[in-house]
Amino acid sequence: MSTNPDYIEVLEARESALSEIREAASRLARRFPLRYWLECDKEEKYPWDFVNTFADAGWLGILLPKAYGGMNLGLTEAAIMLSEIARSGAGMSGASDIHFYVFPPQPIVRHGSEDLKRRILPEMAKGKLLMAFGVTEPTAGVDTSRIRTKAERRGDRWVINGQKVWTTNAQNAKKILLLARTSPRDEARPLDGMTLFVADLDRKHCDVRIIDKLGRAPVDSNEVFIDGLEVADQDVVGEVGRGFYYLVDGLNPERVVVATEGIGIGRAALDLATGYAIRA
Ligand SMILES: Cc1cc2nc3c(=O)[nH]c(=O)nc-3n(C[C@H](O)[C@H](O)[C@H](O)COP(=O)(O)OP(=O)(O)OC[C@H]3O[C@@H](n4cnc5c(N)ncnc54)[C@H](O)[C@@H]3O)c2cc1C
């Protein structure tokens, strides 16, 4: 079998570009020693210094198009970045907060209006806007079709009532990407009839209660009780009733990255065991 030299060159160039990403992400993450993470963990302190360092270097927009302040890179690059963050000793306390800038905006990138993209994406790329992600409910975990949070149209606005759980980042987030039922569950097409909203996490209408948990102490998990939250029509992502399908466009690539974050943690353990440089 002959080997095409052009193909090898392409592969080598790709491997070299990925190595650069790996080294750059690792260098940046390793500025934060284990002591930093220990302090964040003990004090349950959100790692803003870490997030801002990645924001200033442009990494929060790794998957966003350049037109919205992003790097326009792909899933492989995002997976490498997050794996290196976990491997640096930051574990999920570091990977999870960067992760939440990278994946929740994906349904907006693919399905949002131009107006919505321009209002949300550049702010997220700069680390100025933290958006929580509200899908899971106490009675609807893996079976998302059973969510009960409801949005009702009133003129050019929507009014949302319901409850979310395990909502990461809701202590600090200004917005929430919220999935709500806009028409009743139909047994024949259970995943239709849910809509995605980019809502203000307005504390007058959202009671955010922290959940005590073991692990990942710096990054908060919450219950969110929503009572009469208004969202404008222009803050609906894509078409009404298609929200679940848009969500999957973000959730599927996200699974890859959660796995590589786990691999990063495993490598950190091996690095420590074999004396490879992790700063104390
Ligand atoms: C650290 C962390 C952060 C999170 N952040 C967010 C967030 O920001 N926003 C958000 O919306 N959610 C978040 N989640 C929630 C997460 O997405 C849910 O935990 C997940 O969707 C599963 O839901 P559940 O925990 O209710 O599990 P369940 O739905 O109760 O499922 C538990 C187990 O039972 C199995 N199971 C369920 N039903 C059946 C059945 N009928 N037959 C056979 N097996 C079944 C499932 O496969 C699973 O293994 C977070 C979770 C964690 C742990």
Side-chain angles (χ1 to χ4, degrees), residues 100 133-136 141-142 165-168 216:
F100 271 89
F133 181 73
V135 176
T136 309
V142 288
V165 72
W166 293 114
T167 316
T168 304
R216 208 190 62 164

Side-chain angles (χ1 to χ4, degrees), residues 46 96-97 100-101 130-132 167-174 201 203 216 219-222:
Y46 200 80
S96 197
D97 32 280
F100 271 89
Y101 282 91
L130 180 57
M131 184 170 71
T167 316
T168 304
N169 283 331
Q171 292 293 319
N172 296 299
K174 286 197 204 123
L201 194 39
R203 296 324 195 257
R216 208 190 62 164
V219 185
D220 49 283
S221 301
N222 303 276

Side-chain angles (χ1 to χ4, degrees), residues 145 147-153 157-161 178-185 190-197 233 236-237 239-244:
S145 76
I147 63 166
R148 292 182 183 168
T149 296
K150 242 177 31 186
E152 286 171 300
R153 197 190 264 284
R157 302 184 77 73
W158 296 83
V159 179
I160 304 183
N161 288 287
L178 199 54
L179 189 72
R181 273 237 163 256
T182 39
S183 48
R185 187 176 186 279
L191 298 171
D192 286 3
M194 291 177 274
T195 300
L196 262 185
F197 297 87
D233 234 355
V236 171
V237 180
E239 277 178 51
V240 170
R242 301 282 305 158
F244 177 81

Side-chain angles (χ1 to χ4, degrees), residues 35-268:
R35 273 192 313 279
Y36 173 78
W37 294 110
L38 183 62
E39 190 188 309
C40 289
D41 204 63
K42 268 185 170 167
E43 296 175 15
E44 299 186 4
K45 190 174 78 178
Y46 200 80
W48 283 117
D49 298 332
F50 184 77
V51 171
N52 290 335
T53 298
F54 273 78
D56 292 345
W59 291 91
L60 299 188
I62 193 164
L63 285 186
L64 297 181
K66 287 201 168 138
Y68 308 106
M71 286 181 164
N72 205 29
L73 294 173
L75 177 59
T76 307
E77 287 85 349
I80 288 173
M81 170 184 76
L82 284 156
S83 174
E84 287 305 315
I85 288 173
R87 184 178 183 175
S88 72
M92 282 298 172
S93 299
S96 197
D97 32 280
I98 304 296
H99 177 126
F100 271 89
Y101 282 91
V102 174
F103 288 98
Q106 287 310 305
I108 303 173
V109 173
R110 292 175 188 223
H111 305 285
S113 67
E114 190 54 31
D115 166 60
L116 196 55
K117 288 183 199 172
R118 295 218 171 271
R119 282 188 286 124
I120 301 296
L121 302 180
E123 291 299 290
M124 288 197 77
K126 282 186 264 180
K128 302 281 181 219
L129 172 65
L130 180 57
M131 184 170 71
F133 181 73
V135 176
T136 309
E137 299 187 3
T139 54
V142 288
D143 186 356
T144 305
S145 76
R146 297 193 183 276
I147 63 166
R148 292 182 183 168
T149 296
K150 242 177 31 186
E152 286 171 300
R153 197 190 264 284
R154 304 248 174 93
D156 62 353
R157 302 184 77 73
W158 296 83
V159 179
I160 304 183
N161 288 287
Q163 185 185 346
K164 297 290 173 183
V165 72
W166 293 114
T167 316
T168 304
N169 283 331
Q171 292 293 319
N172 296 299
K174 286 197 204 123
K175 300 260 182 199
I176 180 166
L177 185 70
L178 199 54
L179 189 72
R181 273 237 163 256
T182 39
S183 48
R185 187 176 186 279
D186 172 359
E187 199 56 58
R189 295 192 60 87
L191 298 171
D192 286 3
M194 291 177 274
T195 300
L196 262 185
F197 297 87
V198 178
D200 286 334
L201 194 39
D202 178 352
R203 296 324 195 257
K204 288 201 285 298
H205 297 278
C206 298
D207 183 7
V208 178
R209 296 186 200 163
I210 200 154
I211 299 173
D212 266 343
K213 65 180 189 306
L214 278 173
R216 208 190 62 164
V219 185
D220 49 283
S221 301
N222 303 276
E223 294 177 288
V224 182
F225 298 84
I226 306 162
D227 181 8
L229 179 68
E230 285 199 16
V231 185
D233 234 355
Q234 66 257 33
D235 291 332
V236 171
V237 180
E239 277 178 51
V240 170
R242 301 282 305 158
F244 177 81
Y245 303 102
Y246 302 156
L247 207 56
V248 173
D249 283 339
L251 290 178
N252 278 345
E254 189 186 14
R255 299 303 102 183
V256 174
V257 167
V258 170
T260 60
E261 288 167 2
I263 291 168
I265 292 173
R267 286 198 169 131

